[in-house]
Amino acid sequence: MPNANGPVIRAARADDYDAIATVIDDWWGRSVLPHLPRLFLDHFYRTSLIAEVPGAGWREPTEWLAGFLIGFLSPSESDEAYIHFVGVDPQSRKSGLARELYERFFAIARANDRHIVKAITAPGNDASIGFHRHLGFTVAGPVRDYNGPGHHLITFERKI
């Protein structure tokens, strides 16, 4: 359960993967863990974020995972950053936590001289599409065959 002080957002660590892996499918209500392999926390933890509530229980009895953002600075496009996966515990949704995670990632991107943030989602993910529009992202698609034949996706882009 969250506490009255709300979550604390910190830089991720590689070992945060296990806590995320434990809850991610439950948070989505379907299998999504295969879309977030451990390599993302092993290699991009410095640009990823964890939101936790102290004293509430997921890491020993001291912290409760409220949310996370897995993002990275593009190694190929020097002006871009990419948000790969964001999750917020259902108990913390509608609290502004997802927006705060995005704002913190935008700050990381700006500090590294990045001016464009991109992301993708499935065409039927209306909640994600609406959320990204609300945050000022340009929404395009579905882009046919984005992830190979028959795998159409919605793309998001925001200048920061």
Side-chain angles (χ1 to χ4, degrees), residues 122-154:
N125 192 339
D126 294 334
S128 177
I129 294 166
F131 174 76
H132 284 87
R133 274 196 176 112
H134 185 73
L135 285 183
F137 281 82
T138 300
V139 178
V143 178
R144 289 187 51 75
D145 303 327
Y146 183 92
N147 255 7
H151 296 278
H152 317 313
L153 291 173
I154 301 293

Tab-separated table of all heavy atoms in Angstrom, residues 122-154:
chain	number	residue	atom	x	y	z
A	122	ALA	N	0.846	0.074	-29.041
A	122	ALA	CA	-0.045	-0.682	-29.917
A	122	ALA	C	-1.225	0.194	-30.330
A	122	ALA	O	-1.680	1.049	-29.557
A	122	ALA	CB	-0.542	-1.928	-29.193
A	123	PRO	N	-1.753	-0.011	-31.539
A	123	PRO	CA	-2.871	0.804	-32.023
A	123	PRO	C	-4.102	0.783	-31.113
A	123	PRO	O	-4.816	1.778	-31.029
A	123	PRO	CB	-3.193	0.199	-33.388
A	123	PRO	CG	-1.933	-0.420	-33.840
A	123	PRO	CD	-1.267	-0.924	-32.584
A	124	GLY	N	-4.362	-0.291	-30.405
A	124	GLY	CA	-5.537	-0.363	-29.545
A	124	GLY	C	-5.351	0.195	-28.150
A	124	GLY	O	-6.282	0.177	-27.342
A	125	ASN	N	-4.171	0.721	-27.846
A	125	ASN	CA	-3.899	1.210	-26.494
A	125	ASN	C	-4.360	2.669	-26.376
A	125	ASN	O	-3.570	3.602	-26.341
A	125	ASN	CB	-2.409	1.071	-26.168
A	125	ASN	CG	-2.122	1.279	-24.701
A	125	ASN	OD1	-2.915	1.888	-23.981
A	125	ASN	ND2	-0.990	0.770	-24.248
A	126	ASP	N	-5.673	2.843	-26.302
A	126	ASP	CA	-6.265	4.180	-26.274
A	126	ASP	C	-5.816	5.005	-25.070
A	126	ASP	O	-5.649	6.224	-25.183
A	126	ASP	CB	-7.787	4.088	-26.294
A	126	ASP	CG	-8.306	3.506	-27.603
A	126	ASP	OD1	-7.614	3.632	-28.632
A	126	ASP	OD2	-9.411	2.914	-27.588
A	127	ALA	N	-5.613	4.354	-23.930
A	127	ALA	CA	-5.169	5.090	-22.739
A	127	ALA	C	-3.787	5.689	-22.971
A	127	ALA	O	-3.543	6.864	-22.646
A	127	ALA	CB	-5.171	4.189	-21.516
A	128	SER	N	-2.874	4.917	-23.542
A	128	SER	CA	-1.528	5.416	-23.815
A	128	SER	C	-1.560	6.519	-24.869
A	128	SER	O	-0.884	7.545	-24.727
A	128	SER	CB	-0.627	4.270	-24.289
A	128	SER	OG	0.656	4.757	-24.608
A	129	ILE	N	-2.353	6.334	-25.905
A	129	ILE	CA	-2.447	7.343	-26.958
A	129	ILE	C	-2.968	8.660	-26.379
A	129	ILE	O	-2.405	9.730	-26.622
A	129	ILE	CB	-3.328	6.837	-28.114
A	129	ILE	CG1	-2.650	5.646	-28.802
A	129	ILE	CG2	-3.631	7.961	-29.108
A	129	ILE	CD1	-3.562	4.852	-29.725
A	130	GLY	N	-4.012	8.591	-25.579
A	130	GLY	CA	-4.567	9.794	-24.947
A	130	GLY	C	-3.584	10.448	-23.991
A	130	GLY	O	-3.451	11.680	-23.964
A	131	PHE	N	-2.882	9.640	-23.213
A	131	PHE	CA	-1.901	10.162	-22.265
A	131	PHE	C	-0.793	10.914	-23.003
A	131	PHE	O	-0.437	12.030	-22.634
A	131	PHE	CB	-1.308	9.018	-21.436
A	131	PHE	CG	-0.195	9.434	-20.534
A	131	PHE	CD1	-0.457	10.114	-19.352
A	131	PHE	CD2	1.127	9.152	-20.860
A	131	PHE	CE1	0.582	10.515	-18.510
A	131	PHE	CE2	2.163	9.541	-20.029
A	131	PHE	CZ	1.888	10.221	-18.848
A	132	HIS	N	-0.251	10.311	-24.055
A	132	HIS	CA	0.829	10.960	-24.799
A	132	HIS	C	0.347	12.245	-25.480
A	132	HIS	O	1.063	13.247	-25.491
A	132	HIS	CB	1.445	9.986	-25.808
A	132	HIS	CG	2.344	8.993	-25.163
A	132	HIS	ND1	1.885	7.803	-24.644
A	132	HIS	CD2	3.671	9.030	-24.921
A	132	HIS	CE1	2.900	7.140	-24.111
A	132	HIS	NE2	4.004	7.862	-24.267
A	133	ARG	N	-0.865	12.224	-26.013
A	133	ARG	CA	-1.424	13.462	-26.590
A	133	ARG	C	-1.510	14.550	-25.524
A	133	ARG	O	-1.152	15.692	-25.768
A	133	ARG	CB	-2.824	13.198	-27.162
A	133	ARG	CG	-2.812	12.706	-28.555
A	133	ARG	CD	-4.197	12.839	-29.212
A	133	ARG	NE	-4.078	12.440	-30.584
A	133	ARG	CZ	-4.617	11.349	-31.107
A	133	ARG	NH1	-5.359	10.550	-30.371
A	133	ARG	NH2	-4.434	11.062	-32.380
A	134	HIS	N	-1.993	14.173	-24.357
A	134	HIS	CA	-2.136	15.124	-23.246
A	134	HIS	C	-0.789	15.723	-22.840
A	134	HIS	O	-0.720	16.882	-22.432
A	134	HIS	CB	-2.812	14.432	-22.062
A	134	HIS	CG	-3.120	15.339	-20.929
A	134	HIS	ND1	-4.129	16.261	-20.982
A	134	HIS	CD2	-2.541	15.468	-19.716
A	134	HIS	CE1	-4.155	16.940	-19.839
A	134	HIS	NE2	-3.204	16.475	-19.050
A	135	LEU	N	0.283	14.938	-22.968
A	135	LEU	CA	1.626	15.422	-22.625
A	135	LEU	C	2.276	16.215	-23.761
A	135	LEU	O	3.419	16.650	-23.629
A	135	LEU	CB	2.538	14.265	-22.244
A	135	LEU	CG	2.321	13.639	-20.881
A	135	LEU	CD1	3.355	12.549	-20.629
A	135	LEU	CD2	2.371	14.667	-19.769
A	136	GLY	N	1.574	16.373	-24.876
A	136	GLY	CA	2.102	17.177	-25.965
A	136	GLY	C	2.865	16.415	-27.030
A	136	GLY	O	3.539	17.025	-27.865
A	137	PHE	N	2.757	15.092	-27.024
A	137	PHE	CA	3.396	14.304	-28.064
A	137	PHE	C	2.585	14.389	-29.351
A	137	PHE	O	1.346	14.443	-29.313
A	137	PHE	CB	3.494	12.826	-27.656
A	137	PHE	CG	4.606	12.507	-26.716
A	137	PHE	CD1	4.476	12.716	-25.353
A	137	PHE	CD2	5.801	11.969	-27.191
A	137	PHE	CE1	5.502	12.405	-24.477
A	137	PHE	CE2	6.831	11.650	-26.328
A	137	PHE	CZ	6.687	11.879	-24.970
A	138	THR	N	3.261	14.378	-30.487
A	138	THR	CA	2.621	14.201	-31.777
A	138	THR	C	2.371	12.706	-31.930
A	138	THR	O	3.259	11.895	-31.657
A	138	THR	CB	3.541	14.698	-32.913
A	138	THR	OG1	3.808	16.081	-32.690
A	138	THR	CG2	2.914	14.500	-34.265
A	139	VAL	N	1.172	12.350	-32.353
A	139	VAL	CA	0.787	10.943	-32.492
A	139	VAL	C	0.643	10.639	-33.980
A	139	VAL	O	-0.030	11.368	-34.705
A	139	VAL	CB	-0.540	10.662	-31.749
A	139	VAL	CG1	-0.969	9.216	-31.930
A	139	VAL	CG2	-0.408	11.020	-30.271
A	140	ALA	N	1.271	9.561	-34.424
A	140	ALA	CA	1.179	9.157	-35.828
A	140	ALA	C	0.871	7.671	-35.927
A	140	ALA	O	1.307	6.879	-35.101
A	140	ALA	CB	2.485	9.458	-36.561
A	141	GLY	N	0.112	7.326	-36.951
A	141	GLY	CA	-0.135	5.923	-37.209
A	141	GLY	C	-1.586	5.557	-37.075
A	141	GLY	O	-2.443	6.425	-36.968
A	142	PRO	N	-1.823	4.257	-37.149
A	142	PRO	CA	-0.821	3.225	-37.039
A	142	PRO	C	0.130	3.204	-38.242
A	142	PRO	O	-0.278	3.361	-39.377
A	142	PRO	CB	-1.600	1.923	-36.949
A	142	PRO	CG	-3.030	2.250	-37.181
A	142	PRO	CD	-3.182	3.712	-37.251
A	143	VAL	N	1.407	2.992	-37.924
A	143	VAL	CA	2.439	2.875	-38.938
A	143	VAL	C	2.497	1.400	-39.339
A	143	VAL	O	2.833	0.544	-38.511
A	143	VAL	CB	3.806	3.374	-38.415
A	143	VAL	CG1	4.876	3.189	-39.468
A	143	VAL	CG2	3.707	4.831	-37.967
A	144	ARG	N	2.145	1.132	-40.579
A	144	ARG	CA	2.092	-0.256	-41.061
A	144	ARG	C	3.464	-0.921	-40.975
A	144	ARG	O	4.473	-0.313	-41.330
A	144	ARG	CB	1.607	-0.300	-42.494
A	144	ARG	CG	0.131	0.025	-42.655
A	144	ARG	CD	-0.379	-0.197	-44.066
A	144	ARG	NE	-0.064	-1.494	-44.634
A	144	ARG	CZ	-0.666	-2.654	-44.323
A	144	ARG	NH1	-1.628	-2.654	-43.423
A	144	ARG	NH2	-0.314	-3.781	-44.912
A	145	ASP	N	3.454	-2.134	-40.477
A	145	ASP	CA	4.644	-2.988	-40.444
A	145	ASP	C	5.817	-2.368	-39.691
A	145	ASP	O	6.972	-2.701	-39.945
A	145	ASP	CB	5.066	-3.368	-41.875
A	145	ASP	CG	3.959	-4.053	-42.646
A	145	ASP	OD1	3.151	-4.780	-42.018
A	145	ASP	OD2	3.887	-3.872	-43.873
A	146	TYR	N	5.529	-1.485	-38.745
A	146	TYR	CA	6.590	-0.805	-37.991
A	146	TYR	C	7.570	-1.793	-37.372
A	146	TYR	O	8.771	-1.591	-37.396
A	146	TYR	CB	5.967	0.090	-36.909
A	146	TYR	CG	6.991	0.880	-36.122
A	146	TYR	CD1	7.356	2.159	-36.528
A	146	TYR	CD2	7.602	0.355	-34.985
A	146	TYR	CE1	8.297	2.891	-35.823
A	146	TYR	CE2	8.544	1.070	-34.278
A	146	TYR	CZ	8.887	2.346	-34.702
A	146	TYR	OH	9.828	3.063	-34.011
A	147	ASN	N	7.037	-2.846	-36.782
A	147	ASN	CA	7.878	-3.878	-36.151
A	147	ASN	C	7.856	-5.163	-36.955
A	147	ASN	O	7.818	-6.250	-36.396
A	147	ASN	CB	7.402	-4.158	-34.719
A	147	ASN	CG	8.307	-3.543	-33.684
A	147	ASN	OD1	9.220	-2.804	-34.014
A	147	ASN	ND2	8.047	-3.829	-32.424
A	148	GLY	N	7.865	-5.044	-38.267
A	148	GLY	CA	7.842	-6.202	-39.137
A	148	GLY	C	6.464	-6.413	-39.720
A	148	GLY	O	5.496	-5.762	-39.321
A	149	PRO	N	6.356	-7.332	-40.669
A	149	PRO	CA	5.084	-7.575	-41.344
A	149	PRO	C	3.942	-7.861	-40.367
A	149	PRO	O	4.046	-8.730	-39.506
A	149	PRO	CB	5.379	-8.793	-42.227
A	149	PRO	CG	6.860	-8.763	-42.432
A	149	PRO	CD	7.429	-8.186	-41.163
A	150	GLY	N	2.884	-7.074	-40.493
A	150	GLY	CA	1.697	-7.261	-39.668
A	150	GLY	C	1.778	-6.667	-38.274
A	150	GLY	O	0.826	-6.771	-37.506
A	151	HIS	N	2.878	-6.022	-37.914
A	151	HIS	CA	3.046	-5.448	-36.577
A	151	HIS	C	3.007	-3.923	-36.685
A	151	HIS	O	4.036	-3.252	-36.699
A	151	HIS	CB	4.350	-5.927	-35.941
A	151	HIS	CG	4.390	-7.395	-35.710
A	151	HIS	ND1	3.801	-7.985	-34.613
A	151	HIS	CD2	4.904	-8.394	-36.450
A	151	HIS	CE1	3.965	-9.297	-34.689
A	151	HIS	NE2	4.630	-9.568	-35.796
A	152	HIS	N	1.790	-3.398	-36.763
A	152	HIS	CA	1.571	-1.965	-36.897
A	152	HIS	C	1.633	-1.328	-35.507
A	152	HIS	O	1.157	-1.912	-34.529
A	152	HIS	CB	0.210	-1.692	-37.525
A	152	HIS	CG	-0.110	-2.595	-38.681
A	152	HIS	ND1	0.773	-2.855	-39.714
A	152	HIS	CD2	-1.209	-3.330	-38.945
A	152	HIS	CE1	0.220	-3.684	-40.572
A	152	HIS	NE2	-0.984	-4.003	-40.127
A	153	LEU	N	2.210	-0.136	-35.433
A	153	LEU	CA	2.326	0.562	-34.145
A	153	LEU	C	2.015	2.045	-34.301
A	153	LEU	O	2.140	2.609	-35.386
A	153	LEU	CB	3.731	0.391	-33.560
A	153	LEU	CG	4.087	-1.025	-33.097
A	153	LEU	CD1	5.555	-1.107	-32.711
A	153	LEU	CD2	3.203	-1.462	-31.937
A	154	ILE	N	1.635	2.636	-33.197
A	154	ILE	CA	1.450	4.082	-33.092
A	154	ILE	C	2.786	4.662	-32.635
A	154	ILE	O	3.418	4.116	-31.720
A	154	ILE	CB	0.353	4.427	-32.052
A	154	ILE	CG1	-0.985	3.796	-32.432
A	154	ILE	CG2	0.238	5.931	-31.849
A	154	ILE	CD1	-1.624	4.352	-33.673
